[in-house]
Amino acid sequence: MGYHILRAPVPVPQEYSSFAKYYAATDRWNDFAALERLVDSSMNRLQYCLASHLLRDSIIPRMVRPVSQSAPGFPLHHHDISLQNLFVDDDLNITDLVLDSSLITAFRSGFEAENKKIGRCIIDPGYWKVGQMVSRFMRLVNLDALQDYGHLEALYTLAREPVTSEDDGDITNSLPAILATRATSHDALALAGELAADDEPESEIRRREKEYFDAVGAKRFALARKVAFAARMNPRFVADGRLWRWLDAVVEYYEGAESDGLGIVS
């Protein structure tokens, strides 16, 4: 699985106010991932299985448009055209292109403005939505991103649109809640048992943990264990940027208190 943990997306620099805080977050993410060999654990693999079922049941159907609604293709000009920014199918048809999120609105408005000038039909907003979903879907299923959870959450949100104010405030419809509910189904519990059969022996997991934390220190081990405990206690737990920023603030507070001689004990 490499660095892919569905419920613990890898930190990225944009989420932090400084590179120092970003580096601290990556250290804490690595510490969390080192516990119980989380990346390759059956727990993590089960989460990806649940995500695939959610894609199959609730998201892919929203990405498919009836043949009667299909429209002729049109040429596109990309500001940074390269093989890394193009997706093609088995017949070498271009199916998607990657744009930086900050440029999407500008691209759409510019494209639609030029389209009107030459007298072409107005583009159905649904096509933009499907295009956005396909882009995130491809990044997710190809494991071609640092933050799989973010892509899954965006897909889930797009698939549910339009969302009423009542739905928006209902946490039982949130992605963590949906995944937690699916994890308790009979099929999911049976699958969890099958996946667990491929886990490494407990002795090997502990040996690797000890080797890692002997190198990084006892304080980081203690903090990682607290995060892991919170994850076990809360089936909706997601270790994303919000968690690492909060932990950074807590650590800074206690370190500041210790340096001031307040003697606060955690």
Side-chain angles (χ1 to χ4, degrees):
M1 297 294 292
Y3 50 80
H4 294 275
I5 303 175
L6 185 66
R7 304 292 282 268
V10 177
V12 293
Q14 302 93 303
E15 296 176 325
Y16 303 92
S17 59
S18 68
F19 275 104
K21 293 183 181 296
Y22 162 65
Y23 294 141
T26 58
D27 283 344
R28 289 166 187 147
W29 183 92
N30 279 303
D31 297 345
F32 179 56
L35 282 175
E36 300 181 3
R37 301 277 291 166
L38 184 56
V39 173
D40 294 317
S41 68
S42 58
M43 182 187 306
N44 186 41
R45 286 179 281 129
L46 175 64
Q47 290 298 315
Y48 275 94
C49 290
L50 296 176
S52 70
H53 297 163
L54 181 64
L55 290 172
R56 177 197 63 197
D57 299 338
S58 303
I59 294 174
I60 291 177
R62 298 298 184 94
M63 295 166 55
V64 178
R65 299 181 70 88
V67 175
S68 60
Q69 296 182 16
S70 62
F74 44 80
L76 296 174
H77 175 71
H78 194 283
H79 72 287
D80 183 25
I81 199 72
S82 71
L83 294 178
Q84 293 181 331
N85 290 327
L86 293 173
F87 292 100
V88 297
D89 60 20
D90 292 338
D91 297 321
L92 301 183
N93 296 309
I94 296 176
T95 59
D96 196 18
L97 73 162
V98 178
L99 277 178
D100 184 270
S101 58
S102 63
L103 299 175
I104 291 176
T105 300
F107 174 82
R108 289 181 181 177
S109 60
F111 186 87
E112 290 179 340
E114 290 299 318
N115 197 51
K116 290 178 181 178
K117 286 181 182 179
I118 60 176
R120 299 292 296 272
C121 61
I122 297 176
I123 299 173
D124 183 345
Y127 287 114
W128 293 121
K129 177 180 175 179
V130 170
Q132 187 177 357
M133 293 181 72
V134 169
S135 176
R136 290 188 177 275
F137 177 83
M138 295 298 293
R139 298 292 301 279
L140 176 59
V141 299
N142 286 327
L143 296 179
D144 187 33
L146 293 174
Q147 299 191 319
D148 297 334
Y149 184 84
H151 289 296
L152 181 62
E153 187 173 45
L155 281 166
Y156 178 67
T157 300
L158 288 166
R160 292 180 63 222
E161 290 180 348
V163 178
T164 65
S165 57
E166 293 181 357
D167 291 336
D168 191 44
D170 185 2
I171 62 172
T172 61
N173 285 325
S174 67
L175 178 59
I178 294 298
L179 291 176
T181 299
R182 285 175 173 259
T184 61
S185 70
H186 174 76
D187 289 344
L189 293 174
L191 178 58
E194 294 177 11
L195 293 173
D198 292 328
D199 281 340
E200 287 185 310
E202 184 74 12
S203 58
E204 177 62 14
I205 292 174
R206 297 305 170 211
R207 184 191 70 79
R208 289 175 180 266
E209 277 185 9
K210 184 177 186 304
E211 184 179 74
Y212 176 87
F213 286 105
D214 281 350
V216 302
K219 283 188 176 181
R220 285 174 57 172
F221 178 50
L223 186 58
R225 289 187 64 183
K226 290 178 180 179
V227 174
F229 177 76
R232 285 194 297 271
M233 295 300 293
N234 182 2
R236 302 179 184 182
F237 185 85
V238 179
D240 59 12
R242 293 167 296 181
L243 170 69
W244 307 124
R245 289 192 298 271
W246 178 81
L247 276 179
D248 186 70
V250 171
V251 170
E252 282 190 352
Y253 172 78
Y254 279 105
E255 288 179 346
E258 289 177 359
S259 64
D260 292 338
L262 297 181
I264 295 177
V265 178
S266 60

